[in-house]
Amino acid sequence: MRFRPGTEPGRKRVGRVRESSSPEQEGMRVSEQMRPLEESATHALDGLASRWNAWLRRTDSLEMVVEIEALGERVTCANRVLRKTGLLRRLTWVEDGVPDALVHDAVALRGATTRADGAAWTWAFLSISTRDGELTTDFDYERRPDLVPPCTRDDCAAEQRLFPRDSGRIPGWMARLQSDDVEDTAPRVDSGGEGEKSFRRPLGRLALQPR
């Protein structure tokens, strides 16, 4: 999804309509409930794009990409920056060149871009370029994150505490871990480009608070 600062993101969260009413009335009420949630997500994405663009310009960089995998309080990230390096000032992709503060800004989007059932994404790919200033995002709410050590029942419990999902929309891998804590060996799916090895590192536990 391409997000231009100041526009509404594609993800929306719809509040519950408890009173019985006509379809037209329900549609109007749902639209009213969605509005502040959309505004919250838009504000978060807009702020992120502004901060990332400002950092790119300040450091004479052209582009940055960040990949995040998260579950509960555990987070892993890979990132790279396209900037001029060396005496010849050649454009080069610098692995792990994004400051932790900017990566944490992206992780914080989990709370602002929750799905309609309350779920937060477990994988995200974000990029931005000074060529057009647009923030491009891809969020996956079902994917099993590739954490080291692997995901556990405790991680799933923490995820449900922070971002509770409807029982009928829990991914199979999460349901299995919650039931018996057996580490099944799900193959990793890379989003990376053209066979290049991604640089991955843990960011540590975050001070996330239940909503």
Side-chain angles (χ1 to χ4, degrees):
M1 178 183 73
R2 297 185 69 81
F3 172 77
R4 185 183 298 277
T7 62
E8 294 184 355
R11 304 285 182 184
K12 300 176 181 178
R13 182 178 175 185
V14 182
R16 293 183 179 177
V17 180
R18 300 188 178 184
E19 299 178 4
S20 59
S21 57
S22 68
E24 293 79 8
Q25 291 174 321
E26 289 183 358
M28 292 175 60
R29 188 175 291 115
V30 168
S31 178
E32 291 173 355
Q33 292 171 336
M34 286 169 56
R35 219 169 273 133
L37 296 166
E38 290 176 346
E39 291 173 357
S40 175
T42 299
H43 179 74
L45 290 167
D46 194 8
L48 180 73
S50 297
R51 289 188 294 275
W52 283 16
N53 267 316
W55 181 81
L56 287 173
R57 291 191 298 269
R58 189 169 61 251
T59 58
D60 197 24
S61 303
L62 296 183
E63 187 175 352
M64 59 186 281
V65 296
V66 176
E67 181 185 8
I68 298 170
E69 300 188 67
L71 188 69
E73 297 178 336
R74 295 176 59 198
V75 180
T76 297
C77 103
N79 66 75
R80 56 172 54 176
V81 180
L82 183 63
R83 62 161 57 118
K84 296 176 182 178
T85 61
L87 295 176
L88 299 179
R89 306 300 290 164
R90 291 175 176 170
L91 284 176
T92 306
W93 281 106
V94 179
E95 303 292 338
D96 193 32
V98 180
D100 280 355
L102 297 184
V103 176
H104 278 285
D105 283 347
V107 175
L109 288 177
R110 296 190 78 211
T113 55
T114 51
R115 202 170 56 185
D117 64 337
W121 47 262
T122 54
W123 176 88
F125 184 86
L126 306 97
S127 67
I128 196 166
S129 170
T130 56
R131 298 182 186 93
D132 56 17
E134 290 187 0
L135 176 67
T136 300
T137 64
D138 185 9
F139 301 133
D140 193 327
Y141 294 74
E142 303 295 325
R143 175 170 167 171
R144 174 175 175 160
D146 182 29
L147 302 178
V148 179
C151 307
T152 67
R153 178 187 298 172
D154 289 343
D155 295 327
C156 295
E159 181 74 6
Q160 282 291 88
R161 174 172 54 84
L162 294 167
F163 305 105
R165 297 172 178 242
D166 290 344
S167 58
R169 302 194 65 182
I170 294 177
W173 59 266
M174 187 181 292
R176 288 191 295 272
L177 287 177
Q178 288 178 321
S179 63
D180 54 22
D181 206 21
V182 173
E183 305 296 344
D184 55 346
T185 55
R188 168 165 173 74
V189 180
D190 287 322
S191 68
E194 307 160 19
E196 297 178 4
K197 183 178 180 182
S198 296
F199 185 94
R200 311 191 63 81
R201 63 188 175 89
L203 284 178
R205 293 184 177 271
L206 303 178
L208 297 175
Q209 299 296 326
R211 291 171 299 161

